[in-house]
Structures are given as structure tokens and as C-alpha cells.
Amino acid sequence: MNITVKFFATFRRGREKIVNIEVERGSTVKEVLDIVKIEVDEIAILLVNGRDGTIAQLLNDGDTLSLFPPVGGG
Amino acid sequence: MQGYNGKILRINLTTQSVKTEPLDLVQAQKFIGGRGLGSKILMDEIDANIDPLSPENKLIFVTGPLTGTATPTGGRYMVVTKSPLTGTVASSNSGGYWGAELKFAGYDAIILEGKADKPVYINIEDEKVEIKDASSLWGKVVSETTTELERIHGSKVRVSTIGPGGEKLSKMASIMNEKSRAAGRSGVGAVMGSKNLKAIVVRGSHKVEIANPEKLKEVFSRCLSQIKENGVTGQGLPAYGTAVLVNILNENGALPTNNFQTSLFEKADDISGETMAEKFLTKKEACFRCPIACGRVCDMDGVEVAGPEYETLWSFGSDCGVSDLGEIIKANNWCNELGIDTISVGATIAAAMELYQRGYIKKEDLGDGPELIWGNAEAVVEWTKRIGLAQGLGAKMAEGSYRLCEMFGAPELSMTVKKQELPAYDPRGIQGQGISYATSNRGGCHVRGYMISPEILGLPEKLDRFSLEGKSEWAKLFQDFTAGIDSVGLCLFTSFAMGADDYADLYNAVCGTEITGNDFVQAGERIWNIEKIFNLNAGIDSSQDTLPKRLLKDEIPEGPSKGWVTRLDILLPEYYIARGWDQLGIPTSTKLEELGIDSKLDSTKV
């Protein structure tokens, strides 16, 4: 299945802003993070389709992951 | 008592009298300083029903006990007055260096009364205080005024000034210090303009006395480590400033777009902190004793100018459908030069664009101005200028979004609370922010209780942004805690890394007291309650503790927050209970007694 991963702030260093990756059906957020080489403890905000996501969450075809490191407030 | 200078400067501009008075230290401790002390003075000294732009209004510049001390971000000051925009108490916070300098000159606060018969400015050098002619400065923009006053009084002075916006009494006028730091909101600059006061120049040579310097060193070093180690204050804000929020809010589907008609902006990345860092950022800038340095300096056609904050990227950007970051930087710069508030100005242009979209504003109303069409970056820059200079339709827009929409027969299109423009977070997708907006004592505002912290950023813990449970209690706690921070003289951003006990420890080290974290938050609650009493006495009751109809009735039409409205029907009654107020939102005598408040509600007004 196809997952879109969007990177923000310092996660963009050395990466594209958005990547599409193919993963096996039944993959979790953690498995996608392993592929894009981001450690769980680097992440401050993790959204799946714009809603709060979890590391163990099962993904569906077409899902979008948005990943933010610690960022500012305002 | 250390921390406080123990001295207030009172200047009557009508009679030109200048007096110093002792600070009431009992009241000062009870209301901490800054916002709290200023509100208490305002409450005691003016009738809440006066016209805010009349000589009867007072304009209070007030520091906190930690302003000017070796504490992290210890340079903040507050401008407290009755707001011409909202009719509520106004307290606008600013950073930079001016507040610390006022402390060094030996004062805790300046109370300005009356009205000068011609333009004047005030020059303060320690004990020497002069009221001087400002005829040649009147009409000048902020940078020119500041440079000219530095030329006259020396480059080491600190200048706080209004621009043409304040002179022309725009209800969105700000007061600017060090050219680009703003006491931005609620039209405090118009009150200064109404008094014919152009600027206050300060130079001080004293040090603020510290009760326990050894203890302060220890607490300072602990708080500094917390700030450095915290993800938001140690990495996020230094790297991207507040601008990084653009993409975060958009990814959550809570970035208000086209005057809140939707909350998803396709081109958000073009106006984001990431894009700003990549294409426009030249350097960072810090206020007095700030280890965070969230301030941005950007390139504007080869000139270095202050960069826009998140709120500004939103107001001139997605709220107006604009994706040209270079033009937003120009609009931001015009706001700084003309002395007008970027949030209210951008949001008012967005409201004007919707009035134009729906045919309330007609082409002939525009004069020779650019068309108010979504996404028209040129219109955003040009109308900002015309608002600051009160030209043509710009003069009507300078009254703010609510009065503009009312003039054109569509007040429901104004996205305001208590006539003040809402900022950059759609409360339909962030329920706790909704109750915080609706109950803010100065109208639409994000920094009276920043529920974005738990609901979006996950600090101090992550709350489900759609859940209603406990949100009213959370909002109350954030409001009270914030009132404390605004009063002590530190920057609100420290609260991402510091808790109530940390502020209490800093206060104790500086002032030689022994308050607890709970005492600190309770002082914040006391401040919140006297602000509320001022508003009730000014005739602003709970019917105004609400949100624009759009946010209560119209669901967000698309994106991750699709289908949501703000559930104020549930949150507001819970909020009044959390506050210990009655169901009409009036503080009960039990609550006022518990807080030791002797200021009286005027029962004829409520």
C-alpha cells in the first residue's frame, strides 16, 4: 500500500519535503519511521491524516503521515 | 523591598505636572506587577465607563519585579489602559529593551493622565523628566522617529513611540519600542495618540536591587538549563521562530483561511517558517536577557527588516488567501513603521475581502485602491498602508473588523470576540482554545490562555484537541498562570519550559519573599478576576463571552477538522463553574473574598 510522508522543520534537512513509499499491508507507523530513518524520540508531533497518531497505529492505503521535531509556539 | 524600585512616575499632560510617588508595596505584591498591578491601578483610578480616547483615560506603562534583572527573558513591560477597540481593560505586552531601561531609570511604572495641547514627547534620564515639543516628529514613521530621538538624546537611549496609526487614532494602533517590538493589541497606540504623546525616551543608570543574589544565580542557572533542554524553547523557537506553526496548524486543518471560511490553505508551505528560513531569513534577534531569540530578521529587497511572526504570516497570508511571503514581509514592515497591529490589520483586510466577495463593499468604495480579492498580495500591502494613514476606505478599515463589517451591514462577517480580531488558530478544531478565546478579558486573543500548547504542541501533556472534557478547567488554569507571567516581567514563551514553582523561586530570589507556585497562580487568578470586574463595570457582560456565529454554527468544510464547530454551549457553563462565578459569569462574593479582592462590582452595571 502507498503511504505519503510529509517532513517539516529540521526533518527536511537531507530529505525531500514529501515522499511516497510502498509498504506492506498491515504496516504500522513505526515501520514507516524505520524506512525514513527517523527515531521515535526525535518526533514531537505525529499526525496521521491530520489527527494525532501513535507509533503502533496500523496504517491504511493512502494515509498521510506528518512529522514534526520539537517546534515553536507562538 | 527588592525587585521593585518602589517608585511610580505620574505625569499629567494637561497640566504638565510631573510627580514621583511611592509604589504601594502591599498592592504590588498582591498583583505582582506588570499586567496585574497596571489593571489594579486602572481600576482604582478611572471610571470604567469613560470614553477610552478622552483625557479621562489613563495610559500606564508598567514593569514587573523581574524586569531588568538577571532572569531569563527579564525585559518585558505592559501597557495598560481602557481599550478603544474593545472597551475592556487593555494590557499589551512588549519585549525588547525599553522595559528594562525604565527599571534602570528608577521607576516601576509611568502613569500618564490628561491630554497635551500639542504633540509632545517625554524624555527620562533617571530623576530628570522633561516634557518636550514633538511637533517635528508628528507624522513621522516609527523608524524615523526612533532614529531622530536617538540623534537628539544619544544612541544609548531606548525609545517607545507611536506611528501615524496612533496619531490618527486607529483602533488597531500599537506602541513600538526599539523600532520593531510591539505592544501591539487592543489599540493602546490610539490612547497614546489621543493624549498627543508621540514617544517616551528612557535612559537609566541604576541597577535593580536583588534580595538574594546567590539564590538568584542558582535558580537562574536551573531555569536556563530547562529552557535550553526543552524542545520548543531550546530548538524549535531558536531555529524557526514562531513561523514554524504555519505548517503545524495547516496539517491539523486548523489554519483559518479566507476569513475563516475554511481552515486549510493549499499554499501554506509557501508562507511557512521553513520557507522563511530558506529564502528570507538573514539572522535572529533576541530581547533583553533572552536565551531563546525567537525574533527573525528578514531580507526585504536588499534591506534587513524585522520578520513576521506566525500570527502575521497567517493574518496577511492564509486569512487573506495570500501565498507571497515577500509581500507579507512588506505588509509586516508597514505595520511596524505605521504603528498598527499585524493581527488586527490582516484580519480586518480579510474581513474586507469577504465583504467584497459578498458584494457589501463595492468596486466604487475602493477608490483607486487595489481590488480586495482573495490572494491579492498587492492589495494586502497597499491596504495596510492606507489603514495606517487612514486614507479612503482605509480610514473605515482602521476602525477594526467589527466596526467595518457593521458599517457595511454585515457584522456577522467579523471574526472578532469583544470587537477584537481573533488570531491564527481555528477554535472549531481546537476546542480548548475556543473557550479561552470566548472568555478572554481583552477580546480575541491567543496569549490570554494558550491552549495550543497542550492541544497542538503536547505541552505539558497532549490533550485531544476535539475533546471537551476538562478543557474549561485547563483554560482557566492557563489563563491564571499566564496572568502571573505577564505580571512578573518575563516572556510567556518561558512557560513552555518553566512551571509555577520556577517563577515563584525567581520572584522570591529577587524580592526576598517566600511565595509558592500556588501563590503565584492564585495571584494570576486574582488578576483575572479584577480584569473581569473592570469589564463588567464597563458594561461588558457574559453575553460577550462568545464567538462569531460562523465558529459556533458553520462546520469546517474540509480537511482534518472537517465537520467541527466550537461547542461553547457545553464549555462556557463549565468554565463559569471552574471560575467559581455564577451562571451569568459574575464573580461571586465568596470567590472575591477567597482572593482577597476589595475592588467592588458596580451593581448598577451588572
Side-chain angles (χ1 to χ4, degrees):
Chain A
M1 59 184 188
N2 190 270
I3 303 294
T4 301
V5 187
K6 297 165 93 171
F7 301 102
F8 296 96
T10 47
F11 284 161
R12 287 185 177 178
R13 288 180 191 155
R15 293 188 183 90
E16 294 296 311
K17 290 179 187 177
I18 303 178
V19 295
N20 284 297
I21 52 174
E22 282 296 325
V23 292
E24 278 177 37
R25 194 160 290 280
S27 292
T28 63
V29 168
K30 175 73 173 72
E31 283 159 314
V32 172
L33 294 180
D34 289 344
I35 294 170
V36 299
K37 296 191 169 58
I38 287 184
E39 300 289 330
V40 173
D41 60 8
E42 291 178 82
I43 299 171
I45 299 173
L46 185 159
L47 304 173
V48 178
N49 303 325
R51 309 293 278 261
D52 296 338
T54 60
I55 301 302
Q57 190 169 340
L58 286 174
L59 293 168
N60 295 307
D61 186 35
D63 278 354
T64 297
L65 233 67
S66 308
L67 303 174
F68 294 87
V71 281
Chain B
M1 188 178 184
Q2 293 90 339
Y4 305 95
N5 281 321
K7 205 158 77 177
I8 286 179
L9 182 61
R10 186 183 293 274
I11 300 174
N12 187 305
L13 293 164
T14 308
T15 62
Q16 308 255 308
S17 91
V18 175
K19 289 190 295 191
T20 56
E21 297 171 1
L23 172 72
D24 180 340
L25 283 169
V26 175
Q27 295 298 350
Q29 286 182 77
K30 217 165 147 182
F31 294 93
I32 305 178
R35 174 175 155 194
L37 180 63
S39 301
K40 175 65 177 156
I41 295 171
L42 191 77
M43 176 97 122
D44 288 346
E45 297 196 8
I46 74 163
D47 175 345
N49 289 287
I50 55 150
D51 171 359
L53 297 180
S54 70
E56 285 71 43
N57 199 4
K58 298 195 183 185
L59 184 66
I60 306 166
F61 289 73
V62 53
T63 63
L66 304 191
T67 310
T69 65
T71 50
T73 75
R76 310 292 300 190
Y77 75 98
M78 274 278 175
V79 181
V80 182
T81 188
K82 179 175 175 178
S83 163
L85 183 68
T86 62
T88 65
V89 61
S91 37
S92 282
N93 189 289
S94 184
Y97 294 80
W98 190 92
E101 199 70 31
L102 183 64
K103 279 295 274 290
F104 301 154
Y107 308 98
D108 297 303
I110 308 174
I111 302 174
L112 294 150
E113 308 172 334
K115 177 185 179 178
D117 58 6
K118 59 177 186 0
V120 296
Y121 72 93
I122 293 166
N123 180 47
I124 302 169
E125 288 166 41
D126 292 334
E127 287 72 31
K128 187 179 106 184
V129 180
E130 313 166 287
I131 301 174
K132 302 191 69 113
D133 178 39
S135 310
S136 64
L137 297 170
W138 207 251
K140 283 196 165 38
V141 296
V142 166
S143 65
E144 271 184 274
T145 306
T146 306
T147 305
E148 176 62 9
L149 287 167
E150 285 169 352
R151 191 190 62 76
I152 297 170
H153 296 286
S155 61
K156 288 184 172 165
V157 299
R158 299 291 176 184
V159 177
S160 173
T161 183
I162 55 169
E167 294 172 14
K168 292 175 188 298
L169 310 181
S170 166
K171 293 189 170 63
M172 305 188 287
S174 57
I175 297 174
M176 307 293 301
N177 56 283
E178 286 88 62
K179 297 181 184 172
S180 62
R181 304 310 307 181
R185 304 224 68 196
S186 310
V188 292
V191 177
M192 190 151 157
S194 75
K195 299 192 174 305
N196 269 328
L197 177 61
K198 177 69 176 175
I200 306 177
V201 183
V202 186
R203 177 81 178 126
S205 65
H206 307 293
K207 272 192 173 160
V208 180
E209 280 181 44
I210 305 297
N212 193 337
E214 283 310 307
K215 179 80 188 160
L216 181 60
K217 260 187 212 162
E218 180 198 317
V219 185
F220 173 78
S221 143
R222 185 186 84 213
C223 292
L224 191 64
S225 306
Q226 285 168 228
I227 289 169
K228 291 284 182 198
E229 283 159 22
N230 179 279
V232 171
T233 50
Q235 301 164 43
L237 282 168
Y240 292 100
T242 57
V244 79
L245 284 162
V246 173
N247 276 326
I248 300 174
L249 270 295
N250 197 52
E251 288 302 302
N252 279 281
L255 182 71
T257 300
N258 293 4
N259 199 35
F260 288 79
Q261 292 187 82
T262 184
S263 226
L264 194 63
F265 187 49
E266 204 189 327
K267 296 174 181 163
D269 201 55
D270 293 350
I271 57 167
S272 68
E274 289 90 335
T275 300
M276 192 200 286
E278 192 191 327
K279 296 187 175 161
F280 295 95
L281 187 72
T282 56
K283 62 181 181 208
K284 299 185 276 184
E285 215 167 47
C287 297
F288 179 80
R289 285 200 180 271
C290 177
I292 304 170
C294 72
R296 307 286 99 177
V297 177
C298 286
D299 175 74
M300 186 181 77
D301 300 336
V303 183
E304 282 196 323
V305 295
E309 300 286 339
Y310 164 61
E311 306 297 329
T312 314
L313 292 163
W314 160 78
S315 71
F316 292 121
S318 65
D319 205 34
C320 291
V322 166
S323 59
D324 186 331
L325 183 47
E327 295 300 301
I328 296 173
I329 291 171
K330 285 181 194 161
N332 182 62
N333 189 55
W334 275 114
C335 285
N336 288 346
E337 287 292 19
L338 298 169
I340 44 179
D341 172 36
T342 64
I343 297 178
S344 286
V345 170
T348 299
I349 295 173
M353 284 181 166
E354 189 169 353
L355 288 168
Y356 192 68
Q357 172 198 328
R358 298 186 188 280
Y360 293 100
I361 290 181
K362 305 212 174 351
K363 204 159 185 181
E364 57 265 31
D365 296 318
L366 304 177
D368 63 352
E371 264 197 289
L372 287 161
I373 294 173
W374 302 114
N376 185 353
E378 184 211 345
V380 158
V381 176
E382 181 60 26
W383 285 108
T384 296
K385 226 188 295 181
R386 293 183 186 209
I387 287 171
L389 297 169
Q391 290 172 344
L393 180 63
K396 289 182 175 159
M397 291 162 80
E399 293 287 294
S401 145
Y402 185 82
R403 291 171 177 87
L404 177 77
C405 291
E406 205 176 36
M407 278 182 245
F408 283 93
E412 72 281 4
L413 298 185
S414 168
M415 295 297 115
T416 47
V417 170
K418 300 180 178 80
K419 302 190 176 73
Q420 177 157 279
E421 292 71 18
L422 284 167
Y425 312 87
D426 195 323
R428 291 172 291 189
I430 314 164
Q431 296 290 323
Q433 193 59 48
I435 185 66
S436 190
Y437 279 162
T439 57
S440 155
N441 283 334
R442 69 166 187 181
C445 173
H446 59 298
V447 287
R448 281 297 174 273
Y450 193 62
M451 287 297 290
I452 302 309
S453 190
E455 293 186 285
I456 297 288
L457 302 174
L459 292 170
E461 60 182 273
K462 185 78 179 79
L463 302 180
D464 177 349
R465 64 196 173 95
F466 297 109
S467 166
L468 305 178
E469 208 189 322
K471 288 292 174 67
S472 291
E473 289 80 6
W474 269 92
K476 173 199 177 282
L477 180 64
F478 264 66
Q479 289 174 339
D480 293 345
F481 184 38
T482 302
I485 300 166
D486 281 346
S487 300
V488 84
L490 301 188
C491 173
L492 185 53
F493 286 175
T494 52
S495 68
F496 292 117
M498 286 166 52
D501 290 342
D502 299 316
Y503 294 99
D505 287 349
L506 286 171
Y507 180 87
N508 290 335
V510 169
C511 301
T513 48
E514 286 182 21
I515 68 163
T516 64
N518 285 340
D519 295 336
F520 181 77
V521 177
Q522 198 193 37
E525 185 179 11
R526 187 176 297 124
I527 293 160
W528 192 271
N529 276 267
I530 62 157
E531 290 175 340
K532 181 70 181 182
I533 293 172
F534 181 92
N535 290 350
L536 286 165
N537 287 343
I540 293 158
D541 62 18
S542 63
S543 66
Q544 294 202 44
D545 287 347
T546 189
L547 294 171
K549 205 174 92 211
R550 172 171 291 164
L551 306 181
L552 300 175
K553 302 284 181 206
D554 300 349
E555 295 172 359
I556 293 182
E558 59 184 331
S561 301
K562 183 180 174 177
W564 284 86
V565 295
T566 309
R567 295 303 307 274
L568 213 53
D569 53 329
I570 293 169
L571 292 166
L572 189 61
E574 289 177 357
Y575 174 85
Y576 288 155
I577 291 169
R579 279 251 164 251
W581 295 351
D582 70 14
Q583 52 193 0
L584 292 174
I586 297 169
T588 59
S589 51
T590 317
K591 175 53 78 179
L592 296 183
E593 232 164 81
E594 173 196 321
L595 295 171
I597 292 176
D598 55 5
S599 300
K600 292 287 178 288
L601 269 167
D602 182 344
S603 57
T604 61
K605 302 279 168 13
V606 294

